[in-house]
Amino acid sequence: MGINILGAFNYWVVVVLMMIGLYIVITHNNLVKKLIGINIFQTSIFILFISMGKISGGTAPIITGTNTVYSSPLPHVLILTAIVVGISTTALGLAIVIRLYHAFGTVEDDEIQQEIE
Amino acid sequence: MTVTVINIILLCLLVITALAINKQRNLFAATMLTGIYSLICASLFVCLDAVDVAFTEAAVGAGIATILFLGTLALTGFEEKTRVKISIPALLLVSITGGLLIYGIQDMPAFGDANTPVQTYLSGKYIDESATEIGVPNLVTSVLASYRGYDTFGETTVIFTAGIGVLMLLGRGRKNRKGLLDEDDA
């Protein structure tokens, strides 16, 4: 049982981090803070993928000539792509926040809502 | 064993940092904590053998993202206006979602297991044949640039689209400083 909990510890932490990110997105009114929450959310998914690629006693997937065990390179590649896509969406989100600030003079969600009504 | 201990310590640090970000009202401090969070994440990736991902996360997550956030904060203000209250409905929703996800991960194979589909399905082929087919010692590079080159092509398309989007959003704002509301009035 002890080994079982240790074996799934990474996944538990992934869920906890994901939920902290979601909680930040739900509860905070500030749009920049919401984007920080989204960042935490997506980083937890990166950790999930990289954890699945890890193999006990393995090394980084760079061929050195000696016969060793390598962790799977495929999740690493997928997450490299995801990191870059993540920063693109963050940049776009921040641009929208700046645009909203120009239009409404605030980046607080509730104040923008009031302004619209 | 050492790797497992370091792994657990870094994961705990990540949770603590994330909770600190949630509590922090000063957005400058929250951004700095996000940088720290990304750096701990990068250390964790090194621990989990993903060195390429680690330096991308350190450069992009801790570097570029922090700069983008600080640039935005310089324009929009460094303080969150409303104090964070513990929201019961949000907490309830998050616990239910988290509970469902934890129920879902019960079926996940144990951490570090060699007999999972991730390890047995394609990576063996990459490890055995990449040296003769591509000739690059770093497997991540050969998979990224050759075997899954279309993914990378799609990624550059996404960056291009995002770049155009940012330029359109901000470029228009610069020309017409008064913003959307005044356009509506006119």
Side-chain angles (χ1 to χ4, degrees):
Chain A
M1 187 64 196
I3 299 160
N4 234 341
I5 287 173
L6 214 60
F9 186 75
N10 280 46
Y11 307 129
W12 282 77
V13 173
V14 164
V15 171
V16 170
L17 286 174
M18 198 183 273
M19 287 309 111
I20 293 172
L22 184 62
Y23 184 78
I24 292 176
V25 174
I26 294 172
T27 51
H28 288 258
N29 278 323
N30 191 296
L31 293 174
V32 178
K33 195 64 176 278
K34 275 184 200 281
L35 280 171
I36 291 177
I38 291 174
N39 263 349
I40 292 178
F41 193 102
Q42 74 183 10
T43 317
S44 76
I45 295 163
F46 301 162
I47 298 171
L48 175 74
F49 269 69
I50 299 296
S51 298
M52 287 195 286
K54 170 74 180 168
I55 191 164
S56 296
T59 60
I62 299 170
I63 293 174
T64 48
T66 50
N67 201 9
T68 44
V69 182
Y70 300 110
S71 291
S72 174
L74 195 53
H76 301 184
V77 175
L78 298 179
I79 294 312
L80 278 178
T81 309
I83 289 176
V84 176
V85 171
I87 193 72
S88 305
T89 50
T90 306
L92 203 58
L94 287 171
I96 292 171
V97 168
I98 292 173
R99 199 78 188 94
L100 282 170
Y101 182 75
H102 279 307
F104 295 101
T106 175
V107 288
E108 303 287 329
D109 195 19
D110 49 345
E111 287 176 8
I112 291 173
Q113 207 69 38
Q114 277 172 11
E115 193 105 11
I116 292 169
E117 284 159 8
Chain B
M1 191 62 206
T2 333
V3 174
T4 316
V5 173
I6 296 171
N7 179 33
I8 288 171
I9 293 171
L10 286 174
L11 286 169
C12 293
L13 281 174
L14 276 178
V15 173
I16 294 166
T17 318
L19 288 173
I21 291 171
N22 179 41
K23 248 184 104 64
Q24 186 57 253
R25 261 184 81 202
N26 188 327
L27 289 171
F28 181 78
T31 307
M32 287 299 128
L33 282 169
T34 315
I36 293 172
Y37 180 89
S38 287
L39 209 57
I40 298 172
C41 226
S43 321
L44 180 70
F45 291 154
V46 173
C47 187
L48 297 177
D49 295 344
V51 281
D52 302 81
V53 182
F55 67 63
T56 309
E57 175 69 30
V60 172
I64 299 172
T66 311
I67 292 170
L68 289 176
F69 273 110
L70 287 180
T72 310
L73 290 179
L75 291 169
T76 60
F78 286 94
E79 202 68 33
E80 229 178 319
K81 272 186 189 159
T82 40
R83 188 169 290 279
V84 191
K85 279 176 259 141
I86 292 173
S87 156
I88 301 295
L91 215 55
L92 204 68
L93 183 78
V94 165
S95 339
I96 292 171
T97 318
L100 284 173
L101 285 172
I102 283 179
Y103 176 70
I105 62 171
Q106 298 305 317
D107 291 337
M108 294 285 285
F111 174 68
D113 191 355
N115 295 315
T116 62
V118 182
Q119 306 295 348
T120 54
Y121 174 50
L122 262 179
S123 53
K125 179 186 177 294
Y126 291 145
I127 290 164
D128 293 338
E129 291 174 15
S130 165
T132 49
E133 281 183 354
I134 316 290
V136 181
N138 190 337
L139 291 171
V140 175
T141 309
S142 68
V143 176
L144 184 81
S146 182
Y147 290 112
R148 297 193 72 89
Y150 281 113
D151 276 12
T152 312
F153 178 64
E155 171 194 333
T156 46
T157 313
V158 169
I159 301 169
F160 182 67
T161 317
I164 289 177
V166 170
L167 283 177
M168 282 172 81
L169 281 165
L170 295 184
R172 249 184 101 212
R174 204 173 294 138
K175 235 182 259 172
N176 179 9
R177 277 188 177 278
K178 286 172 183 172
L180 282 172
L181 283 186
D182 296 306
E183 283 170 28
D184 288 345
D185 291 343

